[in-house]
Amino acid sequence: MPCGEDWLSHPLGIVQGFFAQNGVNPDWEKKVIEYFKEKLKENNAPKWVPSLNEVPLHYLKPNSFVKFRCMIQDMFDPEFYMGVYETVNQTTKARVLHFGKYRDVAECGPQQELDLSSPRSTTAERQTFYCVPVPGESSWVKEAYVNANQARVSPSTSYTPSRHKRSYEDDEDMDLQPNKQKDQHAGAQQAGGLGGLHWCGEPKRLETEASSGQQLSSLNLSSPFDLNFPLPGEKGPACLVKVYEDWDCFKVNDVLELYGVLSVDPVLSILNNEEREASALLDPMECTDMAEEQRVHSPPASLVPRIHVILAQKLQHINPLLPTCLNKEESRTCKFVSSFMSELSPVRAELLGFLTHALLGDSLAAEYLILHLISTVYTRRDVLPLGKFTVNLSGCPQNSTFTEHLYRIIQHLVPASFRLQMTIENMNQLKFIPHKDYTANRLVSGLLQLPNNTSLVIDETLLEQGQLDTSGVHNVTALSNLITWQKVDYDFSYHQMEFPCSINVLVTSEGRSLLPADCQIHLQPQLIPPNMEEYMNSLLSTVLPSVLNKFRIYLTLLRFLDYNISDDITKAVEDDFVEMRKNDPQSITADDLHQLLVVARFPHGSPLWKRTHEGNPPDSAIST
């Protein structure tokens, strides 16, 4: 069995070894997964795995072991593939069993043909996810992952950046792909005449994707392919991710870290062209719909590579400065987390000072901004999301760069964020709500298709007088629902599907926002810098990188800390609320009790609540 670094460069060789040892016994599949799990537990092993997030696709060798940090943007229908199949040598009549797992194209060398009637052939099922890089991922997160990655890659000699022209002639150094492209093409043509357009026990081609013909398809290359990123300006590869185990554990908008086999087989484009020619014989209208679906579900591998997943992990957060998991037993014994817990108070004090300067000397606004940044939906009671803390920061100067620079400060602190410039034009023209495209059979993303714990800053200072059209009204409603209920209702034409979320929403405005908020605080600047850009740049440059990293750890860690409230504290909260009702029965409601409990969960939150409700400082304009 291959050893050393072969598990990185030739993972299919490892799979072949287990398959050869165990034959058709399904235990070989479990042994493969265990093998790679153990490999990744070795010292710094994950850092040696090339990542599609950091490494250009043309630097990665086909069929190598890669990783990908991504969000599930869409889920396609499950597909059947040939799990085990048998080939026969036309000359010697020798029979060979092959595995189809972790492959797009079946292995069938010269003089070999597929035995469709072999009793040893089996079919299996896999799920396809359409995955995109994490929307709004901050540049400091990307840089940290790049700096931590120790994978050594160089431009692949197996193909050039125009990978649709790559030939298998250049892949002779690969153990498991000795076949030349022309041989596979010939094999595909030969198998193509044996079956129908759908998999019914007899595959149409040597393709391991044999389900419905929708995965390998004709491509309308005259129009650019939409990679369907939720946010504008996003970069990075989108991938078709093939999942073989436990795909029911994942859902749309989950953030994953995937390890698997990279597939960029150029033969897929050849088969796509054949599919296009075959579909031209169908009814024109039906052909158009089918072509559009095929175009979306099977884009060029050079543009949207495939990853055949061996290991998949759902990420609780994407902060590279912290352990992956923060709410399980292993995190409690983590030395890093334990040592940082002793620093919480001084780090918070430094963070408060930093944000006070960012908010032009308003320390009270800085207090509430910290509470906002560490808030998260920790549970739901019926439809009520508990733990959200949307803040409306009013008093922001209009036609100023202050809100832009404030967002830049937030970008330096949180792992993922997006600034929505709330102009009449944007509200009327942008697509906020994802919707189902039944022609292409895909979910078309919108601005609000975001993973949990994304910081969404809505800049209302740019809003001027104008008329919202129907689309604009729907977008405002969507924002209100997101803030109030922490959900987004995706549009499936005939019905709406509710997708719960946990998005931190900060609304900056000149007056009170037209959007709802859990807390509204009016900014009271203690200083007005003559040059806002120079002031904010100076603020960022004076913070040591080590201190900035502590801020980032603090804000992420505190979202996931366990929180317990004793019976004594419960009784004290009840007594305080009764006393508040006596003093002000008209203003204090059950909603105020809810906000009191939410703020009390935050470190130093309870004293802050008391201070503000006692009217100290008296000039603060705060409402909750």
Side-chain angles (χ1 to χ4, degrees), residues 352-363:
L352 178 61
F354 175 72
L355 291 180
T356 298
H357 283 91
L359 293 169
L360 309 181
D362 191 336
S363 60

Side-chain angles (χ1 to χ4, degrees), residues 88-277:
V88 181
N89 189 296
Q90 296 174 332
T91 303
T92 65
K93 303 302 180 184
R95 292 178 171 270
V96 180
L97 275 182
H98 305 267
F99 66 92
K101 197 173 185 180
Y102 309 128
R103 285 175 168 157
D104 281 307
V105 179
E107 183 184 48
C108 191
Q111 307 301 319
Q112 288 184 332
E113 66 177 7
L114 188 66
D115 184 1
L116 300 174
S117 60
S118 172
R120 297 201 289 175
S121 297
T122 62
T123 59
E125 190 179 30
R126 62 190 177 196
Q127 177 69 58
T128 302
F129 298 156
Y130 186 85
C131 294
V132 298
V134 180
E137 190 175 69
S138 299
S139 58
W140 66 267
V141 173
K142 293 183 172 67
E143 291 170 5
Y145 278 112
V146 169
N147 294 334
N149 200 324
Q150 299 176 8
R152 297 292 179 261
V153 294
S154 58
S156 175
T157 58
S158 61
Y159 58 109
T160 63
S162 56
R163 284 170 298 279
H164 60 281
K165 295 181 180 179
R166 177 171 66 87
S167 168
Y168 276 83
E169 308 289 339
D170 298 323
D171 286 345
E172 294 177 352
D173 60 324
M174 300 183 64
D175 293 341
L176 296 176
Q177 294 291 349
N179 317 325
K180 302 298 183 281
Q181 182 175 343
K182 59 183 180 181
D183 297 322
Q184 292 198 347
H185 186 196
Q189 287 180 325
Q190 182 180 14
L194 297 176
L197 290 175
H198 300 273
W199 168 250
C200 299
E202 294 182 349
K204 174 178 182 279
R205 52 206 171 214
L206 286 179
E207 190 90 32
T208 58
E209 288 180 1
S211 57
S212 63
Q214 72 178 15
Q215 301 298 326
L216 293 174
S217 57
S218 58
L219 297 173
N220 179 14
L221 297 179
S222 61
S223 59
F225 185 80
D226 178 14
L227 293 179
N228 214 12
F229 294 144
L231 299 179
E234 291 286 294
K235 296 180 180 179
C239 287
L240 285 179
V241 174
K242 312 287 186 176
V243 183
Y244 295 85
E245 284 87 21
D246 301 325
W247 58 72
D248 291 339
C249 300
F250 306 119
K251 60 184 184 297
V252 169
N253 301 339
D254 279 348
V255 175
L256 309 179
E257 185 173 51
L258 308 171
Y259 291 87
V261 180
L262 175 67
S263 173
V264 286
D265 286 296
V267 73
L268 294 178
S269 298
I270 297 173
L271 295 171
N272 289 337
N273 291 335
E274 292 177 353
E275 192 78 18
R276 176 173 56 188
E277 294 171 2

